[in-house]
Amino acid sequence: MSVRRRNNVVVTGRDDGTTLLLAHGFGCDQNLWRLVVPPLGERYRVVLFDHTGSGRSDTSAWTEERYRGLDGYAEDVLTICHELDLRDVVLVGHSVSAMIAVLAANREPDRFAKLVLLTPSPCYLDDGDYRGGFSRADIDELLEALESNYLGWSAAMAPVIMGNPERPELGEELTNSFCRTDPEIARVFARATFLSDNRADLAKVSVPTLVVQCAHDAIAPRAVGRFTHERIAGSELVTLDATGHCPQLSAPEATAAAITAFVGGP
């Protein structure tokens, strides 16, 4: 099976521009990038895809063994780069895909020109002095609720993740995105997301990196963004005047501007 079909790869924007590869987060698909694609596409070549098991990917390619951790997703990112012969790529990872991007770039740093980590969290669990934002009991409760009633969990959690209660249509969109995901696949991806610990991987990043966080984010607090920035040598940190965990939807202009300012070039 070709990776283009497996991961529903879409290429848009300028053929002669720097290549941006956009990787979506848990429960989402490439559609959540739609508001930042037009401004980015005016300047760059934009490559979109759906993680295996998400969106319009070929779910027959999904196996629990391969995707119970984030390594399988990182391998998929590299396979996309290989098959499309993408080089000097700017890899933009949202939420859990920020850590997927870190893993991919650490394996093949020469493949990537820059990384953009959008609302990243290397570890959601509090651990000693590290404040990930969730206790183990919080995570266990979250996963138990997801596994027992996925649709109910989606309806309850999506507005919390999205924030912006004055704009309920954003939470509704994320709820619908969650509900399009197979519950079994979502269960495995959720465990890979919320139980992973990639803090040690941050120090291995050798690619120029931008960390983008929101001023108010219930899923990835500002302390987490600061931790990520401090652990990646030479990285830049931008805090958007935005609320929620998905600024590509809630603050697309500011998100696109932050990416463009960091990437530069044609």
Side-chain angles (χ1 to χ4, degrees), residues 225-247:
R226 185 168 59 251
F227 177 92
T228 303
H229 162 57
E230 291 172 350
R231 292 303 187 278
I232 299 178
S235 66
E236 301 178 26
L237 175 64
V238 169
T239 302
L240 302 179
D241 183 17
T243 299
H245 194 57
C246 303

Side-chain angles (χ1 to χ4, degrees), residues 67-81:
Y67 296 105
R68 64 164 53 101
L70 301 186
D71 287 334
Y73 295 100
E75 290 174 10
D76 285 357
V77 168
L78 293 173
T79 301
I80 291 170
C81 292

Side-chain angles (χ1 to χ4, degrees), residues 200-214:
D201 296 302
L202 299 179
K204 302 173 186 175
V205 175
S206 60
V207 176
T209 300
L210 172 67
V211 178
V212 182
Q213 63 180 3
C214 291

Side-chain angles (χ1 to χ4, degrees), residues 86-109:
L86 305 180
R87 301 181 183 277
D88 297 323
V89 178
V90 177
L91 178 53
V92 183
H94 170 236
S95 191
V96 66
S97 279
M99 293 306 108
I100 292 169
V102 164
L103 293 174
N106 285 353
R107 290 188 188 181
E108 295 189 26

Side-chain angles (χ1 to χ4, degrees), residues 41-186:
E42 291 178 2
R43 191 164 185 174
Y44 307 115
R45 181 188 188 202
V46 180
V47 180
L48 302 154
F49 71 98
D50 294 332
H51 283 304
T52 305
S54 300
R56 295 184 178 180
S57 68
D58 189 330
T59 56
S60 70
W62 183 89
T63 65
E64 181 172 354
E65 180 179 5
R66 178 175 174 84
Y67 296 105
R68 64 164 53 101
L70 301 186
D71 287 334
Y73 295 100
E75 290 174 10
D76 285 357
V77 168
L78 293 173
T79 301
I80 291 170
C81 292
H82 296 162
E83 186 158 316
L84 274 65
D85 194 26
L86 305 180
R87 301 181 183 277
D88 297 323
V89 178
V90 177
L91 178 53
V92 183
H94 170 236
S95 191
V96 66
S97 279
M99 293 306 108
I100 292 169
V102 164
L103 293 174
N106 285 353
R107 290 188 188 181
E108 295 189 26
D110 293 343
R111 177 74 57 174
F112 301 97
K114 295 181 177 181
L115 295 182
V116 178
L117 310 182
L118 184 63
T119 63
S121 178
C123 180
Y124 290 94
L125 286 166
D126 296 336
D127 180 26
D129 293 336
Y130 174 79
R131 311 311 296 170
F134 298 86
S135 68
R136 181 59 197 240
D138 292 333
I139 295 295
D140 287 345
E141 182 179 353
L142 181 153
L143 294 174
E144 288 170 7
L146 184 152
E147 292 174 10
S148 64
N149 182 2
Y150 178 62
L151 296 181
W153 177 90
S154 299
M157 279 299 297
V160 175
I161 294 170
M162 182 61 69
N164 297 276
E166 74 285 359
R167 299 167 66 188
E169 69 277 6
L170 297 180
E172 291 171 7
E173 176 169 347
L174 191 59
T175 299
N176 292 335
S177 178
F178 284 173
C179 292
R180 288 194 298 270
T181 304
D182 180 279
E184 175 63 15
I185 293 174

